Coordinates of all heavy atoms in Angstrom, one line a residue:
V56 N -6.4 -162.2 112.3 CA -7.9 -162.4 112.3 C -8.4 -161.5 113.4 O -9.5 -160.9 113.2 CB -8.2 -163.9 112.5 CG1 -9.7 -164.2 112.8 CG2 -7.7 -164.7 111.5
W57 N -7.7 -161.4 114.6 CA -8.3 -160.6 115.6 C -8.2 -159.1 115.2 O -9.3 -158.4 115.5 CB -7.3 -160.7 116.9 CG -7.7 -159.8 118.0 CD1 -8.7 -160.0 118.9 CD2 -7.0 -158.6 118.3 NE1 -8.8 -158.9 119.7 CE2 -7.7 -158.1 119.3 CE3 -6.0 -157.9 117.7 CZ2 -7.3 -156.9 120.0 CZ3 -5.7 -156.8 118.3 CH2 -6.3 -156.2 119.5
F58 N -7.3 -158.8 114.5 CA -7.1 -157.3 114.0 C -8.2 -157.0 113.0 O -8.8 -156.0 113.1 CB -5.7 -157.1 113.4 CG -5.5 -155.7 112.9 CD1 -5.2 -154.7 113.7 CD2 -5.7 -155.4 111.5 CE1 -5.1 -153.4 113.3 CE2 -5.5 -154.2 111.1 CZ -5.2 -153.1 111.9
A59 N -8.5 -157.9 112.1 CA -9.6 -157.7 111.2 C -10.9 -157.7 111.8 O -11.8 -156.9 111.4 CB -9.5 -158.9 110.1
A60 N -11.1 -158.4 112.8 CA -12.4 -158.5 113.5 C -12.6 -157.1 114.2 O -13.7 -156.6 114.3 CB -12.5 -159.6 114.4
K61 N -11.6 -156.6 114.8 CA -11.7 -155.4 115.6 C -11.7 -154.1 114.7 O -12.1 -153.1 115.1 CB -10.4 -155.2 116.5 CG -10.4 -156.2 117.6 CD -11.4 -155.9 118.7 CE -11.3 -156.8 119.8 NZ -12.4 -156.5 120.8
N62 N -11.3 -154.3 113.4 CA -11.3 -153.1 112.5 C -12.1 -153.4 111.3 O -11.7 -153.1 110.1 CB -9.9 -152.8 112.0 CG -9.0 -152.3 113.2 OD1 -9.2 -151.2 113.6 ND2 -8.1 -153.1 113.7
A63 N -13.3 -153.9 111.5 CA -14.2 -154.3 110.4 C -15.1 -153.1 109.9 O -15.9 -153.3 109.0 CB -15.0 -155.5 110.8
D64 N -14.9 -152.0 110.6 CA -15.9 -150.8 110.3 C -15.5 -150.5 108.8 O -14.4 -150.4 108.4 CB -15.5 -149.7 111.2 CG -15.9 -150.0 112.6 OD1 -16.8 -150.8 112.8 OD2 -15.4 -149.4 113.5
I65 N -16.6 -150.1 108.2 CA -16.5 -149.6 106.7 C -16.0 -148.2 106.8 O -16.6 -147.3 107.5 CB -17.8 -149.7 106.0 CG1 -18.3 -151.2 106.0 CG2 -17.7 -149.2 104.6 CD1 -17.4 -152.1 105.2
V66 N -15.0 -147.9 106.0 CA -14.5 -146.5 105.9 C -14.5 -146.1 104.5 O -14.4 -147.0 103.6 CB -13.1 -146.3 106.5 CG1 -13.1 -146.5 108.1 CG2 -12.1 -147.2 105.9
S67 N -14.6 -144.8 104.2 CA -14.5 -144.4 102.8 C -13.3 -143.5 102.5 O -12.9 -142.7 103.4 CB -15.8 -143.7 102.4 OG -15.9 -142.5 103.2
I68 N -12.6 -143.7 101.5 CA -11.4 -143.0 101.0 C -11.8 -142.1 99.8 O -12.3 -142.8 98.8 CB -10.3 -143.9 100.8 CG1 -9.9 -144.6 102.1 CG2 -9.0 -143.1 100.3 CD1 -8.7 -145.5 102.0
H69 N -11.5 -140.9 99.8 CA -11.9 -140.0 98.7 C -10.5 -139.5 98.2 O -9.7 -138.9 98.8 CB -12.8 -138.8 99.1 CG -14.0 -139.3 99.7 ND1 -15.1 -139.8 99.0 CD2 -14.4 -139.4 101.0 CE1 -16.1 -140.1 99.8 NE2 -15.7 -139.8 101.1
G70 N -10.2 -139.6 96.9 CA -9.1 -139.1 96.3 C -8.9 -139.5 94.8 O -9.5 -140.5 94.3
L71 N -8.2 -138.5 94.2 CA -8.0 -138.7 92.7 C -9.3 -138.9 92.0 O -9.5 -139.6 91.0 CB -7.1 -139.9 92.4 CG -5.7 -139.9 93.0 CD1 -5.0 -141.3 92.8 CD2 -4.9 -138.7 92.5
G72 N -10.4 -138.2 92.4 CA -11.6 -138.1 91.7 C -12.4 -139.4 91.9 O -13.4 -139.7 91.1
A73 N -12.0 -140.3 92.9 CA -12.7 -141.5 93.1 C -13.0 -141.7 94.6 O -12.4 -141.1 95.4 CB -11.9 -142.7 92.6
S74 N -13.9 -142.5 94.9 CA -14.2 -142.9 96.3 C -14.2 -144.4 96.4 O -14.7 -145.2 95.6 CB -15.6 -142.3 96.7 OG -16.0 -142.7 97.9
L75 N -13.7 -144.9 97.6 CA -13.6 -146.3 97.9 C -14.2 -146.5 99.2 O -13.8 -145.9 100.2 CB -12.1 -146.6 97.8 CG -11.8 -148.1 98.2 CD1 -12.4 -149.1 97.2 CD2 -10.3 -148.4 98.4
K76 N -15.0 -147.5 99.3 CA -15.6 -147.9 100.6 C -15.2 -149.4 100.9 O -15.4 -150.3 100.0 CB -17.2 -147.8 100.7 CG -17.5 -146.4 100.7 CD -19.1 -146.3 100.8 CE -19.5 -144.9 100.8 NZ -20.9 -144.8 101.1
A77 N -14.4 -149.5 102.0 CA -14.0 -150.9 102.4 C -13.8 -151.0 103.8 O -13.7 -150.0 104.5 CB -12.7 -151.3 101.5
P78 N -13.6 -152.3 104.4 CA -13.3 -152.3 105.8 C -11.8 -151.8 106.0 O -11.0 -151.8 105.2 CB -13.2 -153.9 106.0 CG -14.1 -154.4 104.9 CD -14.0 -153.5 103.8
M79 N -11.6 -151.1 107.2 CA -10.4 -150.6 107.5 C -9.3 -151.5 107.5 O -8.2 -151.1 107.0 CB -10.5 -149.9 109.0 CG -9.3 -149.1 109.3 SD -9.3 -148.5 110.9 CE -10.5 -147.3 110.9
A80 N -9.5 -152.7 107.9 CA -8.5 -153.7 108.0 C -7.9 -153.9 106.5 O -6.8 -154.1 106.3 CB -8.9 -155.0 108.6
L81 N -8.9 -154.0 105.6 CA -8.5 -154.3 104.2 C -7.7 -153.2 103.6 O -6.8 -153.3 102.9 CB -9.9 -154.6 103.4 CG -9.5 -154.9 101.9 CD1 -8.8 -156.3 101.8 CD2 -10.9 -155.1 101.2
I82 N -8.2 -152.0 103.9 CA -7.4 -150.7 103.4 C -6.1 -150.7 104.0 O -5.1 -150.4 103.4 CB -8.3 -149.5 103.7 CG1 -9.6 -149.5 102.8 CG2 -7.5 -148.2 103.4 CD1 -10.5 -148.3 103.1
L83 N -5.9 -150.9 105.3 CA -4.5 -150.9 105.9 C -3.7 -152.0 105.3 O -2.5 -151.8 105.1 CB -4.7 -151.1 107.4 CG -5.3 -149.9 108.2 CD1 -5.5 -150.4 109.7 CD2 -4.4 -148.8 108.1
L84 N -4.2 -153.2 105.0 CA -3.4 -154.2 104.5 C -3.1 -153.8 103.0 O -1.9 -154.2 102.6 CB -4.3 -155.5 104.5 CG -3.6 -156.8 103.9 CD1 -2.4 -157.2 104.8 CD2 -4.6 -157.9 103.9
A85 N -3.9 -153.2 102.3 CA -3.6 -152.8 100.9 C -2.4 -151.8 100.9 O -1.6 -151.8 100.2 CB -4.8 -152.3 100.2
F86 N -2.5 -150.8 101.8 CA -1.4 -149.8 101.9 C -0.2 -150.4 102.5 O 0.9 -149.9 102.0 CB -1.9 -148.5 102.8 CG -2.8 -147.6 102.0 CD1 -4.1 -147.6 102.1 CD2 -2.2 -146.7 101.2 CE1 -4.9 -146.7 101.4 CE2 -2.9 -145.7 100.5 CZ -4.3 -145.8 100.6
F87 N -0.3 -151.3 103.3 CA 0.9 -151.9 103.8 C 1.6 -152.7 102.6 O 2.8 -152.6 102.5 CB 0.7 -152.9 105.0 CG 1.8 -153.7 105.3 CD1 2.7 -153.1 106.3 CD2 1.9 -155.0 105.1 CE1 3.8 -153.9 106.7 CE2 3.1 -155.7 105.5 CZ 4.0 -155.2 106.3
G88 N 0.8 -153.4 101.8 CA 1.3 -154.1 100.7 C 2.0 -153.2 99.6 O 3.0 -153.5 99.1
A89 N 1.3 -152.1 99.4 CA 1.8 -151.2 98.4 C 3.2 -150.6 98.8 O 4.1 -150.4 98.1 CB 0.9 -150.1 98.2
G90 N 3.2 -150.3 100.2 CA 4.6 -149.8 100.8 C 5.6 -150.8 100.7 O 6.8 -150.5 100.4
L91 N 5.2 -152.0 100.9 CA 6.2 -153.2 100.8 C 6.8 -153.3 99.4 O 8.0 -153.5 99.2 CB 5.6 -154.5 101.3 CG 6.4 -155.7 101.3 CD1 7.5 -155.4 102.5 CD2 5.6 -156.9 101.7
L92 N 5.8 -153.2 98.4 CA 6.3 -153.4 97.0 C 7.2 -152.2 96.6 O 8.2 -152.4 96.0 CB 5.1 -153.5 96.2 CG 4.3 -154.7 96.2 CD1 3.1 -154.7 95.3 CD2 5.2 -155.9 95.7
L93 N 6.9 -151.0 97.1 CA 7.7 -149.8 96.7 C 9.0 -150.0 97.4 O 10.1 -149.6 96.8 CB 7.0 -148.5 97.2 CG 5.8 -148.0 96.3 CD1 5.1 -146.8 97.0 CD2 6.3 -147.8 94.9
G94 N 9.1 -150.4 98.6 CA 10.4 -150.6 99.2 C 11.3 -151.6 98.6 O 12.5 -151.5 98.4
L95 N 10.6 -152.7 98.2 CA 11.4 -153.8 97.4 C 11.9 -153.3 96.1 O 13.0 -153.6 95.7 CB 10.5 -155.0 97.3 CG 10.3 -155.8 98.6 CD1 9.3 -156.9 98.3 CD2 11.6 -156.4 99.1
M96 N 11.0 -152.6 95.3 CA 11.5 -152.0 94.1 C 12.7 -151.1 94.2 O 13.6 -151.1 93.4 CB 10.4 -151.5 93.4 CG 9.3 -152.4 92.8 SD 8.0 -151.8 91.8 CE 7.9 -150.0 92.1
S97 N 12.7 -150.2 95.2 CA 13.8 -149.3 95.4 C 15.0 -150.0 95.9 O 16.1 -149.7 95.4 CB 13.4 -148.2 96.4 OG 13.2 -148.8 97.7
A98 N 14.8 -151.1 96.6 CA 16.0 -151.9 97.0 C 16.6 -152.7 95.8 O 17.8 -152.7 95.6 CB 15.7 -152.8 98.1
L99 N 15.7 -153.2 94.9 CA 16.2 -153.9 93.8 C 16.9 -153.0 92.9 O 18.0 -153.3 92.3 CB 15.0 -154.5 93.1 CG 14.5 -155.8 93.7 CD1 13.2 -156.3 92.9 CD2 15.6 -156.9 93.8
I100 N 16.5 -151.8 92.7 CA 17.2 -150.7 91.8 C 18.6 -150.6 92.3 O 19.6 -150.6 91.7 CB 16.4 -149.4 91.8 CG1 15.1 -149.7 90.9 CG2 17.3 -148.4 91.1 CD1 14.1 -148.5 91.0
A101 N 18.7 -150.3 93.6 CA 20.1 -150.2 94.2 C 20.9 -151.4 94.1 O 22.2 -151.3 93.8 CB 19.9 -149.8 95.7
I102 N 20.4 -152.6 94.2 CA 21.1 -153.8 94.1 C 21.6 -154.0 92.7 O 22.8 -154.4 92.6 CB 20.2 -155.1 94.5 CG1 20.1 -155.1 96.0 CG2 20.8 -156.4 94.0 CD1 19.1 -156.1 96.6
F103 N 20.7 -153.8 91.7 CA 21.2 -153.9 90.3 C 22.2 -152.9 89.9 O 23.3 -153.3 89.1 CB 19.9 -153.8 89.3 CG 19.2 -155.0 89.4 CD1 17.8 -154.9 89.4 CD2 19.6 -156.3 89.3 CE1 16.9 -156.0 89.5 CE2 18.9 -157.4 89.3 CZ 17.5 -157.3 89.4
R104 N 22.1 -151.7 90.4 CA 23.2 -150.7 90.2 C 24.5 -151.0 90.8 O 25.6 -151.0 90.1 CB 22.8 -149.3 90.8 CG 23.6 -148.2 90.5 CD 23.2 -146.8 91.1 NE 21.9 -146.6 90.7 CZ 20.9 -146.2 91.5 NH1 21.1 -146.1 92.8 NH2 19.7 -145.9 91.0
L105 N 24.5 -151.7 92.0 CA 25.8 -152.2 92.6 C 26.3 -153.3 91.9 O 27.5 -153.3 91.8 CB 25.5 -152.4 94.1 CG 25.3 -151.3 95.0 CD1 24.8 -151.7 96.4 CD2 26.4 -150.3 95.1
K106 N 25.5 -154.2 91.4 CA 26.0 -155.3 90.7 C 26.7 -154.9 89.4 O 27.7 -155.4 89.0 CB 24.8 -156.3 90.3 CG 24.6 -157.2 91.6 CD 23.5 -158.3 91.1 CE 23.2 -159.1 92.3 NZ 22.3 -160.3 91.9
R107 N 26.1 -153.9 88.7 CA 26.6 -153.3 87.4 C 28.0 -152.8 87.8 O 29.0 -152.9 87.0 CB 25.6 -152.3 86.8 CG 26.2 -151.9 85.6 CD 25.1 -150.9 84.9 NE 24.5 -150.1 85.9 CZ 23.4 -149.4 85.7 NH1 22.7 -149.4 84.6 NH2 23.0 -148.6 86.7
E108 N 28.1 -152.1 88.9 CA 29.5 -151.4 89.2 C 30.5 -152.4 89.6 O 31.5 -152.4 89.2 CB 29.2 -150.5 90.5 CG 30.4 -149.8 90.8 CD 30.2 -148.8 92.0 OE1 29.0 -148.7 92.5 OE2 31.2 -148.2 92.5
I109 N 30.1 -153.6 90.2 CA 31.0 -154.6 90.5 C 31.4 -155.2 89.2 O 32.7 -155.5 89.2 CB 30.3 -155.6 91.5 CG1 30.1 -155.1 92.8 CG2 31.1 -157.0 91.6 CD1 29.3 -156.0 93.8
R110 N 30.6 -155.5 88.4 CA 31.1 -156.1 87.0 C 32.0 -155.2 86.2 O 33.0 -155.6 85.8 CB 29.8 -156.3 86.1 CG 29.1 -157.6 86.4 CD 28.2 -158.0 85.3 NE 27.2 -156.9 84.8 CZ 26.0 -156.8 85.4 NH1 25.6 -157.8 86.4 NH2 25.2 -155.9 85.0
A111 N 31.7 -153.9 86.3 CA 32.7 -152.9 85.6 C 34.0 -152.9 86.4 O 35.1 -153.0 85.7 CB 32.1 -151.5 85.6
L112 N 34.1 -153.0 87.7 CA 35.3 -153.0 88.5 C 36.1 -154.2 88.2 O 37.3 -154.3 88.1 CB 35.0 -152.8 89.9 CG 34.6 -151.3 90.3 CD1 34.2 -151.4 91.8 CD2 35.7 -150.4 90.1
N113 N 35.3 -155.4 88.1 CA 36.1 -156.6 87.9 C 36.7 -156.7 86.5 O 37.7 -157.2 86.3 CB 35.0 -157.8 88.0 CG 34.8 -158.2 89.5 OD1 35.7 -158.1 90.2 ND2 33.7 -158.8 89.8
R114 N 35.9 -156.1 85.5 CA 36.5 -156.0 84.2 C 37.7 -155.2 84.2 O 38.7 -155.5 83.5 CB 35.4 -155.5 83.1 CG 34.6 -156.5 82.6 CD 33.7 -156.0 81.4 NE 32.4 -156.0 81.8 CZ 31.5 -155.1 82.1 NH1 31.9 -153.9 81.9 NH2 30.2 -155.3 82.4
A115 N 37.7 -154.0 84.8 CA 38.8 -153.1 84.9 C 40.1 -153.8 85.6 O 41.2 -153.7 85.2 CB 38.5 -151.8 85.7
L116 N 39.8 -154.7 86.6 CA 40.8 -155.4 87.3 C 41.4 -156.4 86.4 O 42.6 -156.6 86.4 CB 40.3 -156.0 88.7 CG 41.2 -156.8 89.5 CD1 42.4 -155.8 90.0 CD2 40.6 -157.4 90.7
Q117 N 40.5 -157.2 85.7 CA 41.0 -158.2 84.7 C 41.9 -157.5 83.7 O 43.0 -158.1 83.3 CB 39.9 -159.0 84.1 CG 39.3 -159.9 85.1 CD 38.0 -160.6 84.6 OE1 37.6 -160.3 83.5 NE2 37.5 -161.5 85.3
N118 N 41.5 -156.4 83.1 CA 42.2 -155.7 82.0 C 43.5 -155.2 82.6 O 44.6 -155.3 82.0 CB 41.5 -154.5 81.5 CG 40.3 -155.0 80.7 OD1 40.2 -156.1 80.2 ND2 39.3 -154.1 80.5
R119 N 43.6 -154.8 83.9 CA 44.9 -154.3 84.5 C 45.8 -155.4 84.8 O 47.0 -155.4 84.5 CB 44.5 -153.5 85.8 CG 45.7 -153.0 86.5 CD 45.3 -152.3 87.8 NE 46.5 -151.9 88.4 CZ 46.5 -151.5 89.7 NH1 45.4 -151.5 90.4 NH2 47.7 -151.3 90.4
S120 N 45.3 -156.6 85.3 CA 46.1 -157.7 85.6 C 46.6 -158.4 84.3 O 47.7 -159.1 84.4 CB 45.4 -158.6 86.4 OG 44.3 -159.2 85.8
A121 N 45.9 -158.2 83.2 CA 46.4 -158.8 81.9 C 47.7 -158.1 81.5 O 48.6 -158.7 80.8 CB 45.3 -158.7 80.9
Y122 N 47.9 -156.9 81.7 CA 49.0 -156.0 81.3 C 50.2 -156.2 82.2 O 51.3 -155.9 81.9 CB 48.7 -154.6 81.1 CG 47.6 -154.3 80.0 CD1 46.4 -153.8 80.2 CD2 48.0 -154.6 78.7 CE1 45.5 -153.6 79.2 CE2 47.2 -154.3 77.7 CZ 45.9 -153.9 78.0 OH 45.0 -153.7 77.0
E123 N 50.0 -156.5 83.5 CA 51.0 -156.6 84.4 C 51.5 -158.1 84.6 O 50.8 -159.0 84.5 CB 50.6 -156.3 85.8 CG 50.2 -154.8 85.9 CD 49.6 -154.3 87.3 OE1 49.5 -155.3 88.1 OE2 49.4 -153.2 87.5
A124 N 52.8 -158.3 84.7 CA 53.5 -159.5 84.8 C 53.3 -160.0 86.2 O 53.4 -159.1 87.2 CB 54.8 -159.5 84.5
P125 N 53.0 -161.3 86.6 CA 52.8 -161.7 88.0 C 54.3 -161.6 88.7 O 55.3 -161.9 88.2 CB 52.5 -163.2 87.9 CG 52.8 -163.5 86.6 CD 52.7 -162.3 85.6
T126 N 54.3 -161.0 89.9 CA 55.4 -160.8 90.7 C 55.4 -161.4 92.1 O 56.3 -161.2 92.8 CB 55.7 -159.3 90.8 OG1 54.6 -158.7 91.5 CG2 55.9 -158.5 89.6
A127 N 54.5 -162.2 92.3 CA 54.3 -162.9 93.5 C 55.3 -164.0 93.7 O 55.7 -164.7 92.7 CB 52.9 -163.5 93.7
R128 N 55.9 -164.1 94.9 CA 56.8 -165.2 95.2 C 56.1 -166.5 95.4 O 55.1 -166.4 95.9 CB 57.6 -164.8 96.5 CG 58.7 -165.6 96.9 CD 59.4 -165.1 98.1 NE 58.6 -165.0 99.2 CZ 58.2 -165.9 100.2 NH1 58.8 -167.2 99.9 NH2 57.4 -165.8 101.1
S129 N 56.8 -167.6 94.9 CA 56.0 -168.8 95.0 C 56.1 -169.2 96.4 O 57.1 -169.0 97.2 CB 56.7 -169.9 94.2 OG 58.0 -170.1 94.7
P130 N 55.0 -169.9 97.0 CA 54.9 -170.3 98.4 C 56.0 -171.4 98.8 O 56.2 -171.6 99.8 CB 53.5 -170.8 98.6 CG 52.9 -171.0 97.1 CD 53.8 -170.2 96.3
E131 N 56.5 -172.1 97.7 CA 57.4 -173.2 98.0 C 58.8 -172.7 98.3 O 59.7 -173.4 98.8 CB 57.4 -174.3 96.9 CG 56.1 -175.0 96.6 CD 55.1 -174.2 95.8 OE1 55.6 -173.4 95.0 OE2 54.0 -174.4 96.0
A132 N 59.2 -171.5 98.0 CA 60.5 -171.1 98.1 C 60.8 -170.9 99.6 O 59.9 -170.4 100.5 CB 60.6 -169.7 97.5
P133 N 62.1 -171.3 100.1 CA 62.4 -171.3 101.5 C 62.6 -169.8 101.9 O 63.0 -169.0 101.1 CB 63.7 -172.1 101.6 CG 64.2 -172.0 100.2 CD 63.0 -172.0 99.2
I134 N 62.3 -169.5 103.2 CA 62.5 -168.2 103.7 C 63.8 -168.2 104.4 O 64.0 -169.0 105.4 CB 61.3 -167.8 104.6 CG1 60.1 -167.8 103.8 CG2 61.6 -166.5 105.3 CD1 58.8 -167.7 104.7
A135 N 64.6 -167.2 104.1 CA 65.9 -167.1 104.8 C 65.8 -166.4 106.1 O 65.0 -165.5 106.3 CB 66.9 -166.3 103.9
T136 N 66.5 -166.9 107.1 CA 66.5 -166.4 108.4 C 67.7 -165.5 108.7 O 68.6 -165.6 108.0 CB 66.4 -167.5 109.5 OG1 67.5 -168.3 109.4 CG2 65.2 -168.4 109.4
A137 N 67.6 -164.8 109.7 CA 68.8 -163.8 110.0 C 70.1 -164.6 110.4 O 71.1 -164.2 110.2 CB 68.4 -162.9 111.1
S138 N 69.9 -165.8 111.0 CA 71.1 -166.5 111.5 C 71.7 -167.5 110.4 O 72.7 -168.1 110.5 CB 70.8 -167.3 112.8 OG 69.8 -168.3 112.3
G139 N 70.9 -167.6 109.2 CA 71.4 -168.4 108.2 C 71.0 -169.8 108.3 O 71.0 -170.6 107.4
N140 N 70.4 -170.3 109.4 CA 69.8 -171.6 109.6 C 68.4 -171.7 109.1 O 67.6 -170.8 109.3 CB 69.9 -172.0 111.1 CG 71.2 -172.1 111.6 OD1 72.2 -172.3 110.9 ND2 71.3 -172.0 113.0
S141 N 68.1 -172.7 108.4 CA 66.8 -172.9 107.9 C 66.0 -173.8 108.7 O 64.8 -174.2 108.3 CB 66.8 -173.3 106.4 OG 67.4 -174.6 106.4
G142 N 66.4 -174.3 109.7 CA 65.7 -175.3 110.4 C 65.7 -175.2 111.8 O 65.3 -175.3 112.8

């Protein structure tokens, strides 16, 4: 509110064959909002691209693991020690 009161002067913007007259605070707020939207849209594009890549990598991993037999040792198997004592 303080910022809007201090920047209430009417300014005119000329561009693209049009002219706009509005308070400076309103114009600054509009440009800030437009920049925020552009930034969010570019971030969303990157996020969707990364999610698509993750899905493709997960599919490739599932296809690869379907062809390989599991070789992991079961966690219940006792571990042999060098001295031969298990306890």
Side-chain angles (χ1 to χ4, degrees):
V56 175
W57 175 81
F58 180 78
K61 292 288 184 182
N62 293 292
D64 298 334
I65 301 294
V66 294
S67 60
I68 296 179
H69 305 282
L71 300 174
S74 178
L75 173 69
K76 289 185 179 184
M79 184 185 291
L81 184 62
I82 291 174
L83 288 174
L84 184 64
F86 277 97
F87 177 78
L91 184 68
L92 287 176
L93 286 173
L95 286 175
M96 287 186 344
S97 66
L99 286 176
I100 290 170
I102 288 170
F103 286 133
R104 185 180 303 132
L105 290 172
K106 282 186 177 186
R107 184 175 41 194
E108 184 179 353
I109 288 171
R110 277 195 305 269
L112 290 172
N113 280 334
R114 273 189 244 117
L116 183 62
Q117 287 174 353
N118 289 340
R119 180 179 174 193
S120 64
Y122 292 116
E123 295 177 355
T126 59
R128 185 176 58 88
S129 71
E131 294 84 24
I134 299 174
T136 60
S138 65
N140 295 338
S141 63

